[in-house]
C-alpha cells in the first residue's frame, strides 16, 4: 500500500518532519510517499494561504493517483482543499484535522486543540463544527507562534505548547489534547508524557486512517458531490439533456 | 462608489450577463466594475472548480482594491474563496449565496434554493448551514443542467426552473425561491411573476448589500481571521516573539 | 425612497438620537421618517416591555405603509415584533439586531455584543441563535446601565462601554463589536477608534440594509407566515373550505 | 390550588371549550379559573394576532396573580407572550405548546404536530426548535382550517384531522401526535382511539404541568431575564449605578 | 395513584433520602413506592456504573408495573436506562435529570447544574444536549465529592455546594441552579434560601411530573421505539413477514 | 495485534458471520478474537435489549484486556454500552455505527443508513446526531425484518435491502449506503456492485479503525469521563477529599 502524504506548503524541511512522523506511524508494508507541493506558500496561516496552496496540491494528488497511490493524506491542519481533493481522487483522502478529530472522539470525551496563530482559531473552530465535533471540543487554543517558528525556535515552541496544554487540562476540563499543526508532530510523545493524557498528532492519525480506509477497500464515492469534475467540452453549444 | 463584481469563472458571456444584472440593480452613483477572472475554469460546478478559480480571483480582488474598489461581489453561488477574499480585501466582500440568504431570511419565513447540477446540492446545503440558515431553507433543488447550458438552452432552462419552483411551492411549503446560480439572474423577474412569490437573485442581492456595507462605512476587520496575510520573511530564521 | 424608522419606545429624545444616526447613514435621495411609538414603554428592557410596545408599533407601520414607506426599520435591539411587522407590511422590515448581525458576519469572523442590562443578555443570545449566528457570536456582554442612563450619564456609559469592549477583545478573541442598544449609536465611531476594530451600530446597519432591500425591489413575501393577517369575518359561521 | 387558564383570544366559546378540557384534566382540589382575554383578536393565526393579544393577556396574568393564582396556563398553541408572562408572574407560567412538547418527548421518541392553518407551520416549527425538540418532531402539519372553523365545522375538522394523523403515522414514522391548537382539545380522546397512539392535547398537558410546578413549590425566578419589569422612574435623570 | 421511585443504586440509605424527598413532594392521594435496586452498584458515577445498574432496574420496573404502578421515577441524575425503561413500561417513566431540566426551562432563562464528580460533567452535558437544553444550560459544575460522601460528609458537601452555587451566579449569569445528584435533594431548600434563586431538585421535579403525566392519562407510546420488546421466539426459523 | 470483536447478543451463528467479515477485513498480522457475549439477548432490537446485553459485554471486554487485546470492536450497530466499554478498557473501543459513520463522512458527502426494524430508526438517528453526522445522513431506513431473519431468510433480506438502497439513491440523493446491522456484513460487496456506490459495513469499518488506533498507539484516555470506574470502598465512611 502506498500512502501519498502531501505537504501543501512549499517548505521542504516541514515535509521532512511530516515524512518522519508518517514513517514512524506506518504499518509494515505501507510505503509513505511524502511530497512537497511545488508553488504553494511557505506556510499555511489563514484562508488565502490555503487558497493559494490548493491548485498545486490537486495536481500532486492527480499525479500520485496516476502513480498508484492507495490513499492521500493532506498534511496541514486546516484541511485545505479536502473536498476538492476528494473530487479528483478515487482513493480515500484524509485531512489531518478530520483524522485527529475522529481519533479524539474515539479515545476521549472532551478535547482541546492547540494551534499556532490566534488567527487560525476560528478557522479550526469552523472545521470542527463542520465535522460535527463542536460539542466535544472545549476550546481551540493558540501558542501564538508562526508555523515555521515551531521549527526555528523549538525551545520556545515546547515551553508555550506545554503551558497551553496545562491550561487546557486545568481550565477546559479535557481528557485529551489535539495538536493543531502538522509541524507539531514530533512534540507529540513528549507532550503526552508531560501531561499524562493522550496527545493526538494529526499526521499519525491520518496515516493510520488512510491505511485503514485503503485496507478496508473503501474508496471515495464517484457519485454525487465527490464525482470527478465534469468534462465541459461542448457545454456552450449546449446539450440540454441531464448532466449527471 | 465602485463595486467590483468578479465572475470567478472564465466565461465572458456569463460575465456580461452578471454585469447586466448588476447594472440593473445598482443605485445611482454606483459604478459597477464587472471582471472575468482570467485563468479560471469555464464554469464552477463543484469543489475543484472552486479551488482552481480562487487564486486568480484573489489577484483580481487585490487589483481592484488598488484601483479603489469600495466593495467586492463574488458572483458565483458557491461563494468560492469568500473567506480568503475577505483576508486580502479591506473593503467588504459579499458572496452571492450569503447575500441571497440574508435577503431571503428578511423577506420570507422559509425558502428553497434552485441550482443547476445535483452535485452542487450538498455544496450549497453546507454553505447555508454555515451561514446559519439551515432551519429556514427547506430544500436545495437542482434543474439538472450544467451552468453554461442555462445560456445555451434558455428554453429548457426556463421550463425546468419553473417546474422546480412550482414543486418547491407545492411540496416544500416555502414563501420565496432563491436562484442558486449567477447565470440565472435574468430569469428572476419572470419567475417571480410566474410563481407569485419573491424570487431572489444573488447578484442583485449582493450588489445591493455591497452598496449598503460600503455606504455605511463598514469595512472588513483587519484583526483576527480576516487580517491581511502575514509577511513571512524571516520566519525560518525565526523570531520567537508573538506573531499577531 | 422613504425609510420609516420606528422607535418602539416612547422616549422622544431617544428617537432624536436614532434619527440622527439614521440621517448620518442614509444615502442621497433617501428620506428618513423617524417616528416615536405613541403609548409604548419609556424604554425596552425585557420581554414585557417588548410586548407592550408592539401593538402601537404595528399601527405605526401600517400608517407608514399608507404614507408610502419603502421599508421599515425597528430601532430597538431586541427586534420586538419583527415577525408581526413583516406580516402587516409589504415593504421589507429590518430589525436592528438582525441587521447588525448580518453586517457582523460579513466583516468579521467572530464578534461580541455589548448591551445595557444583564437581563437582556439571554434575550439577545436567543435572538442571535434564532438568526443562525450563535457560532460566530462569542459573548453578549452588558454594561449594567439602563437604556435611558446611556443618555443621562454619558460619561459613565462611555467608561463602561470601553471597558467591556476591551474585555471582549482580550477575553473573547473577537474581531468586531456589535452595539446592543439603539441608544448607543452615537458612541459607535468613537469606540471603533478607541479599539481599532469595526464597531457595528444596528441603526446604521438597518438603514443601509433597508435601502438595499427596497432599492433591490425586494418585498416581504405575502404567501406563508408573513402573509397579511386573515380577515376573520364569517369564520364563526364557518366556511369549511381552505383558508389559505 | 388555583390555576389561571387564560385564552388569549376574545372568543368566549373557545374559552368555554378550553375550560372544559381544563376541568376534565384538573386534580381534585385544583380550581380552574378560565378567563377570556378582553380585547384580543377573535383567534390567533399568526404573529400579529399574537402581538395584539399579549398586552391584555399580561394584564389578566397580573390580575390573576393579585387574586392568588398558583400558576398560569396560556391556552394558545403559539405560546404568545410566554416569556413576557413569566416576567410579570411570580408563579410558574405554562404555554400549551411547551407543555405538549415536554409530554411528547417523555412518552414518545418521535412526534408530529397537527395545527390549523399552513401559515402557522413555521411559527410552530420555530417554537419547537426554541424548546430544543426539533430533532424529535418529525413534521408540523396543517388541516388548512381556520381556528374558529374547528368549532363551526366539527365534521370537516374531524375528517381532516384524522386524515392528517393517519398521514403522520404512515409517512412521518411517529409514535405520538400533538394537537397544535387549543381548539382541538375535545377531539383528543377520539383521535387517540382512532389512531392507536398517544394524542397530546396542550391544554391538558399544561394544566397538569401547572399543578406539578405549583405543587412542587417551583416559582419563576425573579433574578435575570424573568425578573419583574424594572421601575423606570428617574431613569432619565439617571443614576449611573448598577441597574440590576 | 402509585408512583414507583426506583433508586438504581444499591445503597439503602440513599433510597431513604430519596423517599423522604419524594414523600415531601407528593400530592395528597399519591402513594410513593421507593425501591432500592437489588444488585446495582453502590453508587452511579459514570457509564459502567450506569450499565451495571440498568438490568435490575428494568426488572424492578416490570415488577412495579405488575403491582399497578401509575408511573415510574428513575432517581439518578444520569437518567440511566431511561429509554429502556420506557420500552418495558406502559406508564410514563420520568428521569430526574430530564424532569429537572423541564422545570428549569419553565422557571428560568438560564441555569447551571452542580453535580458530584468531575467525571460526570460530560455525561450530564451530553444528556442535557440530548434533551435539547444545551443553549439554556450555562455550565455543569462539580463539587468534586463522590456520591456517597454527600451523606457521609454533610458539612463538606454543604460548603462546596454553596461555593459552586455562588460561583454559578457570579460567573455563569444564571437564574436558577439544578442539583445534579439525587443525593443532594435534602439540601435544596437550604441552598435556595442561601442563594435567592430557584434551586431545582430532580427527585421533587420528577415526582411532580410523574403525577402530572399519570394524572393526565398520558402513557408511554407502545408504537415505535418505545414499543414493548419483541418476542423473538421463532425468529431463527424465520418468518420473513413484517416484524412490527 | 489482537482485536477483540464482541458480539453483544448471544446468537453464535451471528458471531460466526461477524467473525467472517472481520477476518476478511483484517490486515496481515492482526488476530481477530470473535466472542459471543454469554447471557445477552438473542438479538438487539431496541433499548432494553441493549441494556440487557451490556453487563456481559463489559465482562468480556475486561477479560479480553486481561488476555492482551489491543483494541475492542462492539459488533452491534446500536453501539450498546460504547461509553461504558471505554471506561473499563485501556485500549481503544470502536462501535460499528461510529466507525461506519466516520468512514461514510470520509468517502461520501451524503449517506443513508439501512437497518432492520423500524423501531431502530430513532435509536440510530439519535446515535448519528450524537456522533455529529446528522447533517450528512439523509435518512435512516428499515427493511422491516428482525435481525435474525436476515440469516433465516436471506432471499427476502436481499430483495428488501436492494429495494431500500435503490430508494435511497433515488429519493435521498446520497452517494453512499451504510448497512445498519452487523448481520448485513456479508451482503456488502453484492449491494455495492448492484448499486454502484460505496456500501459501508460497520464490522469492516470498525476492524480497520481498531487496527488504525491500536497501530497508531492511541489508547482510551484514563482521565475524565472514560477513567476506570472508581473503587468505592470506604466512600460511605467518607473521606471528604477530592475524588478524582
Amino acid at each position: 500500500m502506498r500512502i501519498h502524504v502531501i505537504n501543501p506548503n512549499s517548505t521542504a524541511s516541514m515535509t521532512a518532519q511530516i515524512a518522519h512522523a508518517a514513517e514512524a506511524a506506518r504499518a509494515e508494508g505501507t510505503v509513505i510517499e511524502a511530497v512537497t507541493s511545488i508553488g504553494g506558500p511557505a506556510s499555511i496561516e489563514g484562508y488565502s494561504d490555503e487558497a493559494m496552496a490548493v491548485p498545486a496540491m490537486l495536481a500532486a494528488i492527480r499525479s500520485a493517483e496516476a502513480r498508484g497511490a492507495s490513499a492521500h493524506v493532506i498534511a496541514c491542519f486546516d484541511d485545505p482543499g479536502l473536498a476538492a481533493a476528494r473530487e479528483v481522487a478515487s482513493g480515500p483522502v484524509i485531512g489531518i484535522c478530520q483524522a485527529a478529530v475522529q481519533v479524539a472522539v474515539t479515545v476521549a470525551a472532551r478535547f482541546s486543540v492547540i494551534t499556532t496563530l490566534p488567527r487560525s482559531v476560528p478557522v479550526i473552530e469552523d472545521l470542527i463544527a463542520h465535522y460535527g465535533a463542536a460539542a466535544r471540543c472545549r476550546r481551540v487554543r493558540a501558542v501564538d507562534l508562526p508555523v515555521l517558528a515551531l521549527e526555528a525556535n523549538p525551545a520556545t515552541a515546547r515551553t508555550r505548547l506545554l503551558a497551553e496544554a496545562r491550561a487546557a487540562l486545568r481550565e477546559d476540563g479535557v481528557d485529551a489534547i489535539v495538536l493543531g499543526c502538522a509541524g507539531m508532530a514530533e512534540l507529540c510523545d513528549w507532550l503526552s508524557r508531560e501531561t499524562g493524557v493522550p496527545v493526538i498528532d494529526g499526521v499519525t492519525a491520518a496515516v493510520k486512517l488512510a491505511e485503514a480506509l485503503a485496507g478496508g477497500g473503501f474508496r471515495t464515492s464517484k457519485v454525487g458531490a465527490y464525482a470527478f469534475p465534469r468534462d465541459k467540452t461542448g457545454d456552450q453549444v449546449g446539450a440540454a439533456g441531464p448532466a449527471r
Side-chain angles (χ1 to χ4, degrees), chain A:
Chain A
M1 186 188 306
R2 300 177 68 84
I3 307 286
H4 172 230
V5 180
I6 177 85
N7 171 16
N9 75 39
S10 60
T11 300
S13 60
M14 198 158 160
T15 310
Q17 197 193 135
I18 289 164
H20 189 258
E23 284 291 337
R26 74 175 175 79
E28 218 183 292
T30 298
V31 176
I32 299 293
E33 186 183 7
V35 172
T36 307
S37 189
I38 305 303
S43 62
I44 296 184
E45 297 169 338
Y47 300 108
S48 65
D49 283 348
E50 284 184 46
M52 298 312 289
V54 176
M57 190 192 83
L58 296 182
I61 285 175
R62 280 191 167 102
S63 162
E65 287 257 314
R67 288 192 308 273
S70 313
H72 307 268
V73 168
I74 300 177
C76 167
F77 203 79
D78 290 358
D79 288 356
L82 181 55
R86 286 175 178 159
E87 224 177 69
V88 304
S90 53
V93 185
I94 316 290
I96 68 171
C97 175
Q98 188 169 23
V101 166
Q102 290 189 346
V103 169
V105 300
T106 303
V107 301
R110 294 293 183 272
F111 65 91
S112 283
V113 176
I114 308 178
T115 189
T116 51
L117 294 177
R119 71 180 301 153
S120 292
V121 170
V123 179
I124 293 172
E125 287 175 339
D126 286 354
L127 266 186
I128 288 174
H130 181 60
Y131 298 152
R136 308 198 63 170
C137 176
R138 289 276 193 218
R139 189 165 161 193
V140 179
R141 292 167 169 274
V143 291
D144 205 357
L145 281 175
V147 170
L148 299 179
L150 293 174
E151 198 179 330
N153 297 280
T156 307
R158 281 182 179 238
T159 305
R160 295 196 186 175
L161 195 57
L162 184 55
E164 282 299 318
R166 286 186 172 147
L169 293 178
R170 193 175 57 241
E171 299 167 11
D172 308 350
V174 295
D175 331 334
I177 300 287
V178 168
L179 297 178
C181 178
M184 293 173 175
E186 66 180 23
L187 303 173
C188 183
D189 290 347
W190 162 78
L191 190 63
S192 186
R193 283 192 307 273
E194 291 289 325
T195 57
V197 298
V199 175
I200 298 157
D201 159 48
V203 176
T204 304
V207 166
K208 299 315 290 182
L209 294 190
E211 290 176 340
L213 270 85
F218 299 111
R219 298 175 70 74
T220 302
S221 180
K222 292 291 114 185
V223 168
Y226 296 154
F228 291 118
R230 281 196 330 111
D231 174 14
K232 291 166 193 180
T233 318
D235 268 18
Q236 222 138 356
V237 298
R244 253 180 302 203

